[in-house]
Amino acid sequence: MGKLFRAVLSLAVIAALALAGLYMYVRPTQQLDLAYSELPVRGKIADMLTNRKLEVALTEPEVNSLLKKALAEHAQVQPDVRVTGAQFTLEGDRWIADVNLLYKDRWEVGARLYFSMRWQEPNLIASHTETQIKQAEIPLDWFQLEPLTLPLNDYLPKPAGVRGVTFDNHEVKIALKLR
């Protein structure tokens, strides 16, 4: 009876250590939030008039704010998972988000999410394509976000509209049209 008790106790200790190690592995490595700033529309229009082009360039920090706003509006991405912070970086039409997630309102998880971008008039659509926790890839069957939708026309004055969008390495160029 004593050997059985020691064996069960040893298995319980090993399982507890494995769970603690797993939790330490998935914990976020950086503090992130969902704070964002509004797009400076007047400044963009002034730049457009100065350059005499119907084109506006959004920088990486501006796109970061737009995507954070979209995430903040839908932070509960699954019934048990909520996004508590994000930081986006651009690589052409592929956007990478370092995110902090909260699982079951208790367990913090740091992950990297990959998005492919496309322009589907009248919205810019960010589709979640991949998730990694450290070097481990998480199957999309386990965790996938709904596409993020950015209605770019909402940021423009009424006579202007978006004609097209192109993705450069660290900025998004928006070609405008008059409605």
Side-chain angles (χ1 to χ4, degrees):
M1 189 72 129
K3 286 184 179 183
L4 179 62
F5 177 73
R6 277 186 263 157
V8 169
L9 183 60
S10 295
L11 285 175
V13 168
I14 290 170
L17 289 173
L19 285 174
L22 178 64
Y23 180 65
M24 295 304 291
Y25 181 75
V26 301
R27 288 196 62 197
T29 57
Q30 54 185 325
Q31 291 297 321
L32 300 171
D33 60 29
L34 289 176
Y36 60 89
S37 56
E38 291 295 329
L39 194 61
V41 175
R42 285 193 176 141
K44 293 293 178 185
I45 292 172
D47 290 345
M48 183 182 69
L49 293 173
T50 302
N51 296 333
R52 296 182 186 174
K53 284 185 175 181
L54 285 177
E55 181 177 274
V56 174
L58 298 180
T59 64
E60 190 170 74
E62 291 168 335
V63 174
N64 183 53
S65 284
L66 287 174
L67 288 168
K68 277 182 154 185
K69 181 178 180 180
L71 264 180
E73 291 170 354
H74 305 287
Q76 194 74 36
V77 293
Q78 289 186 349
D80 291 336
V81 180
R82 183 168 39 95
V83 176
T84 59
Q87 179 67 39
F88 288 86
T89 55
L90 308 178
E91 289 182 0
D93 66 345
R94 183 175 169 167
W95 295 4
I96 302 167
D98 290 311
V99 298
N100 290 349
L101 306 169
L102 192 59
Y103 179 67
K104 294 195 179 228
D105 290 326
R106 188 176 324 175
W107 309 103
E108 292 180 297
V109 177
R112 179 166 277 182
L113 308 179
Y114 295 85
F115 294 86
S116 67
M117 302 302 296
R118 73 182 190 284
W119 169 247
Q120 183 177 336
E121 193 169 347
N123 298 312
L124 188 60
I125 309 289
S127 298
H128 179 212
T129 59
E130 183 182 343
T131 301
Q132 289 180 347
I133 297 177
K134 305 285 193 241
Q135 283 72 38
E137 189 168 330
I138 306 302
L140 288 176
D141 295 347
W142 293 2
F143 181 77
Q144 184 168 24
L145 274 65
E146 293 294 319
L148 299 175
T149 302
L150 305 172
L152 294 180
N153 284 325
D154 291 356
Y155 295 95
L156 299 173
K158 290 293 178 203
V162 177
R163 183 177 72 226
V165 175
T166 57
F167 304 98
D168 284 341
N169 201 25
H170 293 287
E171 68 181 9
V172 175
K173 290 188 180 173
I174 301 171
L176 302 173
K177 63 183 177 185
L178 297 176
R179 296 190 232 183

